[in-house]
Amino acid sequence: LRHHQAGSTRTTVARFGPALPFTVNPQSAIFDIRSTRLDFAAIQPVGDATLNLKLSLSNYHRDGLASQLGYDGAGVLALDDTITSVINETGVTTSGKVATHPNHGHSLEVGWDGGVSWRYETRIERDAPLPGSATGGLLGDSDLIFHATVRRAAGFVQDNWTITPRWSVY
């Protein structure tokens, strides 16, 4: 579990052209992050070969709250923007191989690697309308919701030859 908090203030001066709507921008952000991973591994002899298996389960979760204020050139609050966000990603991966034991400098491996992950993300932005502000509501509200599933799979066959103790070919 990690807790991250940051803040800054940006001051902008227009050297040429019209003044910017927000000359002073205090910003802050708070994030709470949880990450969990569980790995399993097994090696098992199977006849004249060896079976290697791996399985991993993972979860990443982040809650965020960010805010930005904006003051115009006269020091009047012209922006009050808040963003809340949530990310949750869960995944499962597996890999393994069956490897024959070297026989006269030759061995063979057959294996796989695969996984699936599910990601859910929301980002809710609210720009508070400010009475008397010429720029209140300038950024507008936005709600962004993402769902994604990523699947991957690979297989391989590898032929190993040891020519000399210093040379090998795969």
Side-chain angles (χ1 to χ4, degrees):
L1 179 62
R2 289 187 326 212
H3 177 80
H4 178 74
Q5 190 168 348
S8 67
T9 299
R10 181 179 64 211
T11 302
T12 307
V13 176
R15 301 251 186 242
F16 303 101
L20 299 172
F22 316 120
T23 57
V24 178
N25 291 95
Q27 301 171 352
S28 66
I30 299 171
F31 297 103
D32 288 318
I33 301 167
R34 292 186 311 273
S35 181
T36 307
R37 184 176 174 107
L38 186 59
D39 293 319
F40 298 98
I43 300 174
Q44 178 68 41
V46 179
D48 290 338
T50 302
L51 174 63
N52 291 300
L53 296 173
K54 293 180 184 176
L55 175 68
S56 295
L57 308 171
S58 62
N59 181 262
Y60 172 85
H61 183 87
R62 186 192 84 186
D63 291 311
L65 175 62
S67 66
Q68 175 180 347
L69 300 175
Y71 296 90
D72 64 17
V76 174
L77 183 62
L79 172 70
D80 184 356
D81 189 52
T82 303
I83 300 170
T84 56
S85 63
V86 174
I87 296 173
N88 193 59
E89 185 166 341
T90 302
V92 177
T93 61
T94 180
S95 64
K97 68 179 178 179
V98 176
T100 63
H101 299 291
N103 182 11
H104 304 294
H106 177 244
S107 65
L108 186 65
E109 295 179 3
V110 177
W112 72 91
D113 181 72
V116 62
S117 63
W118 301 272
R119 184 177 179 104
Y120 172 79
E121 184 173 344
T122 63
R123 182 183 184 278
I124 309 299
E125 183 171 2
R126 294 293 178 255
D127 187 10
L130 300 172
S133 170
T135 58
L138 180 68
L139 297 181
D141 295 340
S142 68
D143 295 348
L144 304 173
I145 300 173
F146 303 97
H147 297 273
T149 300
V150 176
R151 293 178 187 89
R152 63 181 175 78
F156 69 90
V157 175
Q158 183 171 314
D159 199 2
N160 305 312
W161 292 89
T162 303
I163 312 287
T164 70
R166 296 181 139 195
W167 287 90
S168 56
V169 178
Y170 301 94

